[in-house]
Short mmCIF file of all heavy atoms in Angstrom, two decimals:
data_model
loop_
_atom_site.label_atom_id
_atom_site.label_comp_id
_atom_site.label_asym_id
_atom_site.label_seq_id
_atom_site.Cartn_x
_atom_site.Cartn_y
_atom_site.Cartn_z
N MET A 96 81.11 98.57 145.46
CA MET A 96 81.93 98.54 144.21
C MET A 96 81.36 97.43 143.30
O MET A 96 81.58 96.23 143.61
CB MET A 96 83.39 98.36 144.51
CG MET A 96 84.26 99.36 143.79
SD MET A 96 85.96 98.90 143.79
CE MET A 96 86.56 99.51 145.34
N ASN A 97 80.82 97.79 142.24
CA ASN A 97 80.22 96.78 141.38
C ASN A 97 80.78 96.98 139.95
O ASN A 97 80.10 96.82 138.95
CB ASN A 97 78.71 96.85 141.40
CG ASN A 97 78.06 95.52 140.94
OD1 ASN A 97 78.72 94.58 140.76
ND2 ASN A 97 76.81 95.58 140.63
N LYS A 98 81.98 97.36 139.89
CA LYS A 98 82.59 97.61 138.57
C LYS A 98 83.02 96.23 137.90
O LYS A 98 83.54 95.35 138.53
CB LYS A 98 83.83 98.42 138.74
CG LYS A 98 84.01 99.34 137.48
CD LYS A 98 85.06 100.45 137.78
CE LYS A 98 86.47 99.83 137.65
NZ LYS A 98 87.49 100.96 137.80
N THR A 99 82.60 96.19 136.64
CA THR A 99 83.01 94.85 136.01
C THR A 99 84.46 94.97 135.50
O THR A 99 84.86 95.87 134.75
CB THR A 99 82.08 94.73 134.75
OG1 THR A 99 82.00 95.88 134.04
CG2 THR A 99 80.73 94.22 135.12
N THR A 100 85.21 93.98 136.01
CA THR A 100 86.65 93.96 135.63
C THR A 100 86.81 93.15 134.35
O THR A 100 86.57 91.98 134.32
CB THR A 100 87.51 93.33 136.74
OG1 THR A 100 86.86 92.19 137.19
CG2 THR A 100 87.64 94.34 137.88
N THR A 101 87.25 93.83 133.30
CA THR A 101 87.47 93.24 132.04
C THR A 101 88.89 92.85 131.84
O THR A 101 89.69 93.54 131.21
CB THR A 101 87.00 94.08 130.84
OG1 THR A 101 87.42 95.40 131.11
CG2 THR A 101 85.48 94.18 130.83
N THR A 102 89.32 91.83 132.54
CA THR A 102 90.74 91.33 132.46
C THR A 102 90.93 90.43 131.22
O THR A 102 92.06 90.10 130.92
CB THR A 102 91.15 90.62 133.75
OG1 THR A 102 90.09 89.77 134.13
CG2 THR A 102 91.48 91.59 134.87
N LYS A 103 89.78 90.02 130.64
CA LYS A 103 89.84 89.14 129.51
C LYS A 103 90.45 89.89 128.36
O LYS A 103 90.07 91.00 128.06
CB LYS A 103 88.41 88.83 129.16
CG LYS A 103 88.25 87.89 128.04
CD LYS A 103 86.78 87.54 127.76
CE LYS A 103 86.02 88.76 127.24
NZ LYS A 103 84.74 88.41 126.56
N PRO A 104 91.48 89.30 127.73
CA PRO A 104 92.15 89.99 126.62
C PRO A 104 91.22 90.07 125.43
O PRO A 104 90.49 89.16 125.09
CB PRO A 104 93.33 89.06 126.25
CG PRO A 104 92.97 87.74 126.88
CD PRO A 104 92.09 87.98 128.07
N ASP A 105 91.38 91.18 124.76
CA ASP A 105 90.55 91.40 123.56
C ASP A 105 91.02 90.49 122.49
O ASP A 105 92.22 90.62 122.12
CB ASP A 105 90.67 92.92 123.14
CG ASP A 105 89.84 93.20 121.95
OD1 ASP A 105 88.89 92.52 121.62
OD2 ASP A 105 90.08 94.32 121.40
N PRO A 106 90.24 89.62 121.92
CA PRO A 106 90.69 88.66 120.89
C PRO A 106 91.16 89.42 119.62
O PRO A 106 92.06 88.90 118.94
CB PRO A 106 89.44 87.84 120.64
CG PRO A 106 88.31 88.63 121.12
CD PRO A 106 88.82 89.44 122.26
N GLN A 107 90.64 90.52 119.35
CA GLN A 107 91.00 91.27 118.17
C GLN A 107 92.46 91.75 118.32
O GLN A 107 93.20 91.73 117.37
CB GLN A 107 90.01 92.40 117.92
CG GLN A 107 90.00 92.94 116.49
CD GLN A 107 89.21 91.91 115.58
OE1 GLN A 107 88.36 91.18 116.06
NE2 GLN A 107 89.52 91.90 114.33
N GLU A 108 92.68 92.15 119.51
CA GLU A 108 94.05 92.73 119.79
C GLU A 108 95.11 91.62 119.96
O GLU A 108 96.23 91.76 119.61
CB GLU A 108 93.97 93.57 121.08
CG GLU A 108 95.12 94.49 121.28
CD GLU A 108 95.15 95.69 120.36
OE1 GLU A 108 94.10 96.24 120.12
OE2 GLU A 108 96.17 96.05 119.91
N ARG A 109 94.70 90.49 120.55
CA ARG A 109 95.56 89.45 120.93
C ARG A 109 95.95 88.59 119.68
O ARG A 109 96.84 87.84 119.80
CB ARG A 109 94.90 88.56 121.95
CG ARG A 109 95.01 89.12 123.35
CD ARG A 109 96.39 89.00 123.94
NE ARG A 109 96.55 89.68 125.09
CZ ARG A 109 97.68 89.66 125.81
NH1 ARG A 109 98.76 88.99 125.42
NH2 ARG A 109 97.83 90.28 127.00
N ARG A 110 95.18 88.69 118.67
CA ARG A 110 95.37 87.80 117.58
C ARG A 110 96.66 88.12 116.80
O ARG A 110 97.23 87.35 116.13
CB ARG A 110 94.17 87.86 116.52
CG ARG A 110 93.86 86.69 115.82
CD ARG A 110 92.58 86.86 115.10
NE ARG A 110 92.57 88.08 114.26
CZ ARG A 110 91.88 88.22 113.20
NH1 ARG A 110 91.15 87.24 112.80
NH2 ARG A 110 91.92 89.38 112.55
N GLY A 111 97.09 89.34 116.94
CA GLY A 111 98.27 89.78 116.23
C GLY A 111 99.52 89.23 116.76
O GLY A 111 99.54 88.48 117.74
N LEU A 112 100.55 89.58 116.12
CA LEU A 112 101.84 89.10 116.50
C LEU A 112 102.57 90.04 117.44
O LEU A 112 102.13 91.13 117.62
CB LEU A 112 102.69 88.81 115.28
CG LEU A 112 103.16 90.04 114.44
CD1 LEU A 112 104.16 89.61 113.47
CD2 LEU A 112 101.99 90.63 113.72
N ALA A 113 103.62 89.49 118.07
CA ALA A 113 104.42 90.38 118.94
C ALA A 113 105.69 90.79 118.25
O ALA A 113 106.18 90.03 117.51
CB ALA A 113 104.73 89.63 120.22
N CYS A 114 106.05 91.97 118.54
CA CYS A 114 107.33 92.55 117.89
C CYS A 114 108.50 91.73 118.36
O CYS A 114 108.66 91.45 119.55
CB CYS A 114 107.36 94.02 118.29
SG CYS A 114 108.93 94.71 117.73
N PRO A 115 109.32 91.24 117.41
CA PRO A 115 110.49 90.51 117.80
C PRO A 115 111.56 91.35 118.48
O PRO A 115 112.43 90.76 119.11
CB PRO A 115 111.04 89.94 116.41
CG PRO A 115 110.46 90.91 115.46
CD PRO A 115 109.18 91.42 115.97
N LYS A 116 111.42 92.61 118.45
CA LYS A 116 112.42 93.46 118.98
C LYS A 116 112.04 93.92 120.40
O LYS A 116 112.83 93.76 121.38
CB LYS A 116 112.69 94.65 118.16
CG LYS A 116 113.95 95.42 118.45
CD LYS A 116 114.11 96.55 117.42
CE LYS A 116 115.34 97.38 117.84
NZ LYS A 116 115.46 98.60 116.99
N CYS A 117 110.82 94.49 120.52
CA CYS A 117 110.43 95.03 121.89
C CYS A 117 109.28 94.32 122.50
O CYS A 117 108.88 94.53 123.67
CB CYS A 117 110.15 96.49 121.73
SG CYS A 117 108.59 96.86 120.84
N GLY A 118 108.72 93.31 121.80
CA GLY A 118 107.65 92.49 122.34
C GLY A 118 106.26 93.16 122.34
O GLY A 118 105.34 92.59 122.82
N SER A 119 106.19 94.31 121.78
CA SER A 119 104.93 95.02 121.73
C SER A 119 103.97 94.31 120.67
O SER A 119 104.47 93.78 119.67
CB SER A 119 105.10 96.48 121.30
OG SER A 119 103.90 96.98 120.84
N ASN A 120 102.71 94.38 120.90
CA ASN A 120 101.80 93.82 119.86
C ASN A 120 100.94 94.90 119.27
O ASN A 120 99.82 94.72 118.89
CB ASN A 120 101.02 92.57 120.34
CG ASN A 120 100.33 92.83 121.69
OD1 ASN A 120 100.33 93.97 122.13
ND2 ASN A 120 99.91 91.80 122.29
N HIS A 121 101.50 96.07 119.22
CA HIS A 121 100.75 97.19 118.62
C HIS A 121 101.46 97.58 117.31
O HIS A 121 102.55 98.07 117.31
CB HIS A 121 100.70 98.42 119.52
CG HIS A 121 99.86 98.14 120.73
ND1 HIS A 121 100.45 98.00 122.09
CD2 HIS A 121 98.56 97.90 120.99
CE1 HIS A 121 99.56 97.75 122.93
NE2 HIS A 121 98.37 97.65 122.32
N PHE A 122 100.77 97.26 116.24
CA PHE A 122 101.31 97.55 114.96
C PHE A 122 100.35 98.43 114.18
O PHE A 122 99.13 98.39 114.40
CB PHE A 122 101.51 96.28 114.18
CG PHE A 122 102.66 95.39 114.79
CD1 PHE A 122 102.32 94.48 115.83
CD2 PHE A 122 103.89 95.47 114.25
CE1 PHE A 122 103.35 93.67 116.29
CE2 PHE A 122 104.94 94.65 114.75
CZ PHE A 122 104.63 93.79 115.79
N PHE A 123 100.90 99.15 113.20
CA PHE A 123 99.96 99.68 112.17
C PHE A 123 100.41 99.10 110.88
O PHE A 123 101.58 98.78 110.64
CB PHE A 123 99.90 101.16 112.22
CG PHE A 123 101.18 101.94 112.12
CD1 PHE A 123 101.76 102.18 110.88
CD2 PHE A 123 101.84 102.34 113.30
CE1 PHE A 123 102.90 102.89 110.80
CE2 PHE A 123 103.03 103.01 113.20
CZ PHE A 123 103.61 103.29 111.92
N VAL A 124 99.47 98.94 109.99
CA VAL A 124 99.70 98.33 108.65
C VAL A 124 100.28 99.39 107.71
O VAL A 124 99.72 100.46 107.52
CB VAL A 124 98.42 97.73 108.09
CG1 VAL A 124 98.60 97.14 106.74
CG2 VAL A 124 97.85 96.66 109.06
N VAL A 125 101.44 99.09 107.21
CA VAL A 125 102.09 99.99 106.29
C VAL A 125 101.42 99.84 104.80
O VAL A 125 101.05 100.84 104.20
CB VAL A 125 103.59 99.76 106.16
CG1 VAL A 125 104.21 100.77 105.22
CG2 VAL A 125 104.23 99.89 107.59
N TYR A 126 101.38 98.63 104.41
CA TYR A 126 100.68 98.38 103.18
C TYR A 126 100.17 96.90 103.14
O TYR A 126 100.66 96.00 103.86
CB TYR A 126 101.51 98.67 101.95
CG TYR A 126 102.70 97.82 101.71
CD1 TYR A 126 102.60 96.57 101.15
CD2 TYR A 126 103.96 98.29 102.13
CE1 TYR A 126 103.71 95.80 100.93
CE2 TYR A 126 105.10 97.50 101.90
CZ TYR A 126 105.00 96.30 101.29
OH TYR A 126 106.08 95.47 101.10
N THR A 127 99.14 96.70 102.30
CA THR A 127 98.51 95.37 102.11
C THR A 127 98.69 95.02 100.61
O THR A 127 98.36 95.88 99.79
CB THR A 127 97.08 95.39 102.57
OG1 THR A 127 97.03 95.92 103.91
CG2 THR A 127 96.52 94.02 102.51
N ARG A 128 99.04 93.79 100.34
CA ARG A 128 99.19 93.42 98.99
C ARG A 128 98.67 91.99 98.80
O ARG A 128 98.88 91.16 99.65
CB ARG A 128 100.66 93.44 98.53
CG ARG A 128 100.93 93.09 97.12
CD ARG A 128 102.30 93.06 96.75
NE ARG A 128 102.84 94.45 96.76
CZ ARG A 128 104.15 94.71 96.60
NH1 ARG A 128 104.97 93.69 96.41
NH2 ARG A 128 104.66 95.95 96.61
N ARG A 129 97.96 91.80 97.73
CA ARG A 129 97.47 90.40 97.52
C ARG A 129 98.53 89.61 96.71
O ARG A 129 99.03 90.12 95.72
CB ARG A 129 96.14 90.52 96.67
CG ARG A 129 95.49 89.22 96.67
CD ARG A 129 94.22 89.27 95.88
NE ARG A 129 93.20 89.90 96.78
CZ ARG A 129 91.89 89.71 96.48
NH1 ARG A 129 91.51 88.98 95.43
NH2 ARG A 129 90.99 90.33 97.20
N VAL A 130 98.73 88.46 97.21
CA VAL A 130 99.78 87.63 96.60
C VAL A 130 99.04 86.32 96.10
O VAL A 130 98.34 85.71 96.85
CB VAL A 130 100.86 87.17 97.59
CG1 VAL A 130 102.02 86.59 96.86
CG2 VAL A 130 101.33 88.35 98.40
N LEU A 131 99.24 85.97 94.86
CA LEU A 131 98.71 84.70 94.32
C LEU A 131 97.20 84.59 94.43
O LEU A 131 96.69 83.53 94.44
CB LEU A 131 99.42 83.48 94.90
CG LEU A 131 100.90 83.41 94.71
CD1 LEU A 131 101.49 82.23 95.54
CD2 LEU A 131 101.31 83.16 93.26
N GLY A 132 96.51 85.61 94.48
CA GLY A 132 95.05 85.67 94.52
C GLY A 132 94.41 85.26 95.81
O GLY A 132 93.38 85.88 96.14
N SER A 133 95.02 84.43 96.55
CA SER A 133 94.35 83.95 97.76
C SER A 133 95.11 84.35 99.03
O SER A 133 94.67 84.05 100.12
CB SER A 133 93.98 82.45 97.77
OG SER A 133 95.21 81.69 97.59
N LYS A 134 96.29 84.85 98.82
CA LYS A 134 97.08 85.23 100.03
C LYS A 134 97.22 86.75 100.07
O LYS A 134 97.26 87.46 99.09
CB LYS A 134 98.49 84.60 99.92
CG LYS A 134 98.56 83.23 100.42
CD LYS A 134 99.90 82.72 100.51
CE LYS A 134 100.01 81.30 101.05
NZ LYS A 134 101.45 80.83 101.02
N ILE A 135 97.23 87.22 101.34
CA ILE A 135 97.42 88.63 101.53
C ILE A 135 98.71 88.92 102.28
O ILE A 135 98.86 88.28 103.41
CB ILE A 135 96.19 89.24 102.24
CG1 ILE A 135 94.94 89.19 101.32
CG2 ILE A 135 96.47 90.63 102.61
CD1 ILE A 135 93.67 89.43 102.05
N MET A 136 99.50 89.76 101.76
CA MET A 136 100.71 90.09 102.51
C MET A 136 100.55 91.48 103.16
O MET A 136 100.06 92.34 102.50
CB MET A 136 101.88 90.12 101.41
CG MET A 136 103.19 90.29 102.04
SD MET A 136 104.34 90.50 100.69
CE MET A 136 104.91 92.16 100.93
N ARG A 137 100.93 91.49 104.42
CA ARG A 137 100.87 92.80 105.07
C ARG A 137 102.17 93.19 105.65
O ARG A 137 102.78 92.36 106.31
CB ARG A 137 99.83 92.71 106.22
CG ARG A 137 98.39 92.71 105.74
CD ARG A 137 97.47 93.32 106.68
NE ARG A 137 96.14 93.48 106.09
CZ ARG A 137 95.13 92.67 106.33
NH1 ARG A 137 95.23 91.70 107.19
NH2 ARG A 137 93.98 92.91 105.72
N SER A 138 102.52 94.38 105.41
CA SER A 138 103.71 94.91 106.09
C SER A 138 103.29 95.79 107.26
O SER A 138 102.53 96.74 107.03
CB SER A 138 104.52 95.72 105.07
OG SER A 138 105.69 96.18 105.64
N ARG A 139 103.73 95.44 108.42
CA ARG A 139 103.32 96.20 109.57
C ARG A 139 104.54 96.83 110.21
O ARG A 139 105.60 96.28 110.15
CB ARG A 139 102.68 95.24 110.60
CG ARG A 139 101.45 94.59 110.10
CD ARG A 139 101.16 93.33 110.92
NE ARG A 139 100.05 92.57 110.36
CZ ARG A 139 98.82 92.72 110.72
NH1 ARG A 139 98.46 93.52 111.63
NH2 ARG A 139 97.88 91.92 110.13
N GLU A 140 104.30 97.91 110.89
CA GLU A 140 105.38 98.53 111.62
C GLU A 140 105.00 98.68 113.06
O GLU A 140 103.86 99.05 113.42
CB GLU A 140 105.60 99.91 111.01
CG GLU A 140 106.91 100.50 111.37
CD GLU A 140 107.21 101.82 110.58
OE1 GLU A 140 107.25 101.75 109.38
OE2 GLU A 140 107.24 102.89 111.26
N CYS A 141 105.97 98.36 113.90
CA CYS A 141 105.71 98.43 115.38
C CYS A 141 105.56 99.93 115.81
O CYS A 141 106.37 100.76 115.32
CB CYS A 141 106.93 97.80 116.12
SG CYS A 141 106.83 97.96 117.92
N LYS A 142 104.61 100.11 116.58
CA LYS A 142 104.21 101.47 117.00
C LYS A 142 105.35 102.02 118.04
O LYS A 142 105.41 103.25 118.22
CB LYS A 142 102.86 101.55 117.72
CG LYS A 142 101.74 101.60 116.69
CD LYS A 142 100.42 101.74 117.37
CE LYS A 142 99.30 101.72 116.40
NZ LYS A 142 97.99 101.74 117.11
N HIS A 143 105.97 101.07 118.62
CA HIS A 143 106.93 101.48 119.70
C HIS A 143 108.39 101.71 119.16
O HIS A 143 108.98 102.67 119.51
CB HIS A 143 106.91 100.48 120.83
CG HIS A 143 105.57 100.48 121.57
ND1 HIS A 143 105.41 101.21 122.72
CD2 HIS A 143 104.42 99.87 121.26
CE1 HIS A 143 104.16 101.08 123.01
NE2 HIS A 143 103.56 100.25 122.26
N CYS A 144 108.85 100.69 118.39
CA CYS A 144 110.31 100.79 117.94
C CYS A 144 110.46 100.92 116.48
O CYS A 144 111.45 101.15 116.03
CB CYS A 144 111.06 99.55 118.51
SG CYS A 144 110.62 98.03 117.69
N GLY A 145 109.35 100.81 115.74
CA GLY A 145 109.48 100.97 114.32
C GLY A 145 109.87 99.82 113.50
O GLY A 145 110.17 99.90 112.31
N ARG A 146 109.97 98.69 114.17
CA ARG A 146 110.43 97.49 113.53
C ARG A 146 109.41 97.00 112.51
O ARG A 146 108.24 96.95 112.81
CB ARG A 146 110.67 96.41 114.57
CG ARG A 146 110.82 95.00 114.08
CD ARG A 146 112.25 94.70 113.51
NE ARG A 146 112.31 93.39 113.02
CZ ARG A 146 113.16 92.52 113.47
NH1 ARG A 146 114.08 92.81 114.43
NH2 ARG A 146 113.29 91.27 112.94
N ARG A 147 109.81 96.64 111.30
CA ARG A 147 108.88 96.20 110.24
C ARG A 147 108.78 94.72 110.24
O ARG A 147 109.80 93.96 110.33
CB ARG A 147 109.35 96.63 108.89
CG ARG A 147 109.19 98.15 108.72
CD ARG A 147 108.18 98.40 107.64
NE ARG A 147 108.08 99.87 107.42
CZ ARG A 147 108.08 100.47 106.27
NH1 ARG A 147 108.21 99.74 105.18
NH2 ARG A 147 107.84 101.77 106.18
N VAL A 148 107.54 94.19 110.20
CA VAL A 148 107.27 92.80 110.15
C VAL A 148 106.30 92.55 108.97
O VAL A 148 105.42 93.25 108.74
CB VAL A 148 106.63 92.35 111.47
CG1 VAL A 148 106.59 90.84 111.54
CG2 VAL A 148 107.29 92.94 112.65
N ILE A 149 106.57 91.46 108.32
CA ILE A 149 105.72 91.10 107.14
C ILE A 149 104.93 89.88 107.56
O ILE A 149 105.51 88.84 108.00
CB ILE A 149 106.49 90.88 105.88
CG1 ILE A 149 107.08 92.28 105.43
CG2 ILE A 149 105.66 90.30 104.78
CD1 ILE A 149 108.06 92.14 104.29
N THR A 150 103.60 89.94 107.35
CA THR A 150 102.81 88.75 107.71
C THR A 150 102.04 88.31 106.41
O THR A 150 101.71 89.11 105.58
CB THR A 150 101.76 89.10 108.76
OG1 THR A 150 101.05 90.21 108.37
CG2 THR A 150 102.44 89.40 110.07
N TYR A 151 101.74 87.09 106.38
CA TYR A 151 100.99 86.51 105.31
C TYR A 151 99.69 86.01 105.82
O TYR A 151 99.70 85.33 106.73
CB TYR A 151 101.73 85.42 104.56
CG TYR A 151 102.91 85.83 103.74
CD1 TYR A 151 104.18 85.98 104.31
CD2 TYR A 151 102.67 86.31 102.47
CE1 TYR A 151 105.24 86.41 103.54
CE2 TYR A 151 103.78 86.84 101.69
CZ TYR A 151 105.06 86.82 102.34
OH TYR A 151 106.14 87.37 101.54
N GLU A 152 98.63 86.29 105.21
CA GLU A 152 97.28 85.83 105.58
C GLU A 152 96.67 85.04 104.38
O GLU A 152 96.76 85.44 103.22
CB GLU A 152 96.41 86.97 105.94
CG GLU A 152 96.80 87.58 107.20
CD GLU A 152 96.00 88.88 107.55
OE1 GLU A 152 94.87 88.88 107.06
OE2 GLU A 152 96.57 89.75 108.16
N THR A 153 96.03 83.87 104.75
CA THR A 153 95.38 83.15 103.72
C THR A 153 93.87 83.38 103.83
O THR A 153 93.36 83.25 105.02
CB THR A 153 95.73 81.64 103.87
OG1 THR A 153 97.08 81.50 103.93
CG2 THR A 153 95.16 80.87 102.70
N VAL A 154 93.26 83.66 102.78
CA VAL A 154 91.83 83.81 102.81
C VAL A 154 91.09 82.52 102.69
O VAL A 154 91.34 81.74 101.80
CB VAL A 154 91.39 84.78 101.66
CG1 VAL A 154 89.82 84.98 101.66
CG2 VAL A 154 92.11 86.10 101.68
N ALA A 155 90.20 82.24 103.64
CA ALA A 155 89.46 81.03 103.60
C ALA A 155 88.09 81.24 103.00
O ALA A 155 87.37 82.13 103.53
CB ALA A 155 89.30 80.51 105.10
N TYR A 156 87.80 80.65 101.93
CA TYR A 156 86.53 80.77 101.32
C TYR A 156 85.42 79.84 101.86
O TYR A 156 85.72 78.71 102.19
CB TYR A 156 86.70 80.53 99.79
CG TYR A 156 87.48 81.58 99.12
CD1 TYR A 156 88.73 81.35 98.75
CD2 TYR A 156 86.96 82.86 98.89
CE1 TYR A 156 89.54 82.30 98.13
CE2 TYR A 156 87.73 83.88 98.26
CZ TYR A 156 88.97 83.54 97.89
OH TYR A 156 89.79 84.53 97.34
ZN1 LIG B 99 108.80 96.94 118.61
#
């Protein structure tokens, strides 16, 4: 058995937030809006329970 075990968490997946309701970190983006030119607001919805979460991202130049 020489299977490579990839127990390492995917950084792309792990970077996200966890749902405050069910703890899931699988979201899909409902909409993206730019705020004040350098901030991005994202409304996400939990894939499991449908809980909406709003996140703000700052663009680093
Ligand atoms: Zn949820």
Side-chain angles (χ1 to χ4, degrees):
M96 230 196 277
N97 201 13
K98 212 167 81 176
T99 46
T100 46
T101 47
T102 42
K103 179 178 72 159
D105 184 15
Q107 203 74 23
E108 194 75 40
R109 281 284 172 179
R110 210 172 54 153
L112 67 168
C114 174
K116 196 176 174 186
C117 71
S119 161
N120 48 13
H121 296 109
F122 291 86
F123 54 86
V124 178
V125 183
Y126 66 83
T127 308
R128 182 184 292 175
R129 188 179 287 201
V130 194
L131 298 172
S133 59
K134 275 187 180 176
I135 294 167
M136 184 185 116
R137 285 210 170 104
S138 181
R139 299 160 189 266
E140 197 173 297
C141 177
K142 281 183 181 176
H143 293 263
C144 70
R146 166 81 181 237
R147 289 244 179 136
V148 195
I149 291 171
T150 55
Y151 289 93
E152 291 173 27
T153 309
V154 180
Y156 292 103

